Amino acid sequence: MSELEKMKQGRWHDANNDEELLQKRLAAEDLCFLFNHTRPKDHDSKQKILRQLLPHAHPSACILAPFYADYGEYCFIGEHTFINHHAYLMDGGDIHIGAFCFIGPNCGIYTVQHPLCWQERDCGYERAKPITIGDHVWIGADVTILPGVTIHEGAIIGAKSVVTCDIPPHVIAVGNPCKILRPITEEDRISSDLTM
């Protein structure tokens, strides 16, 4: 079984010395470099690079530079999702981001874990657990999302939170570690202030 196959099955694998994984990450790094150094006004070139880097991102998703991903091809990004500056998607495990999500600047989404015993960690072993972010999620600035987490539909994650466990739908959650603050209710609507 290849190290890539182990990685995609969530098994311990050698990501630091395997030529196939190293080449995949190098290709993604090149595309990130090109995207991050393309003029903001050159929209067509930026979109072409993103299609290569993120083949599973919906064309209507908006991603601002600088942006980083380990592989890119294991990121699945829904329609009309907005990812602000300095996002890093460590996509050894699949990262699924739903539709109409707002992801604030400096967000880190990390699927990879390393062994706790240093002797194994020094050998380069790691494993990847997928992360899922549901539709209509808002993630504030400087949020860290750790391996294996699911953030359910409509949840809000407060700025600078560290998300270590699953977050249920339609709640506000904040802190390190991130904990539920309260549900989102009808009283949170601003519809009465809007002219439709």
Side-chain angles (χ1 to χ4, degrees):
M1 179 180 293
S2 71
E3 297 305 299
L4 174 59
E5 289 170 326
K6 292 177 191 175
M7 181 179 80
K8 297 318 296 175
Q9 291 180 13
R11 298 175 59 178
W12 292 105
H13 62 280
D14 183 353
N16 293 310
N17 302 296
D18 181 73
E19 191 60 29
E20 182 180 18
L21 293 179
L22 290 170
Q23 288 303 314
K24 280 179 168 289
R25 289 200 304 274
L26 185 60
E29 191 174 355
D30 276 347
L31 289 169
C32 288
F33 180 88
L34 288 173
F35 176 74
N36 294 333
H37 291 85
T38 301
R39 291 176 61 86
K41 289 194 285 190
D42 193 352
H43 179 75
D44 290 344
S45 293
K46 291 182 89 66
Q47 290 305 110
K48 182 178 178 183
I49 296 164
L50 277 181
R51 283 194 298 274
Q52 292 176 1
L53 176 64
L54 302 169
H56 304 294
H58 193 278
S60 65
C62 178
I63 299 168
L64 301 185
F67 172 84
Y68 306 94
D70 276 1
Y71 298 95
E73 63 185 295
Y74 307 124
C75 299
F76 301 82
I77 302 171
E79 61 182 321
H80 299 293
T81 281
F82 173 77
I83 300 178
N84 214 323
H85 301 285
H86 292 281
Y88 177 26
L89 277 57
M90 185 184 285
D91 60 326
D94 290 353
I95 296 174
H96 289 266
I97 302 174
F100 292 91
C101 292
F102 287 7
I103 297 180
N106 302 311
C107 183
I109 302 176
Y110 306 113
T111 65
V112 171
Q113 295 177 321
H114 300 286
L116 299 182
C117 296
W118 66 264
Q119 295 92 340
E120 296 168 328
R121 193 167 55 245
D122 286 358
C123 292
Y125 292 117
E126 62 183 48
R127 69 176 173 185
K129 293 186 171 183
I131 291 173
T132 301
I133 299 170
D135 296 340
H136 309 288
V137 169
W138 174 18
I139 296 172
D142 298 305
V143 167
T144 298
I145 302 171
L146 296 184
V149 163
T150 296
I151 300 173
H152 289 274
E153 178 184 39
I156 297 171
I157 308 297
K160 295 193 178 293
S161 294
V162 178
V163 187
T164 62
C165 61
D166 293 356
I167 303 297
H170 309 294
V171 298
I172 300 171
V174 299
N176 180 7
C178 192
K179 296 191 183 306
I180 298 167
L181 181 65
R182 66 175 177 86
I184 300 166
T185 69
E186 288 297 313
E187 292 181 4
D188 293 309
R189 290 192 181 276
I190 61 167
S191 300
S192 60
D193 294 338
L194 300 176
T195 329
M196 299 277 184

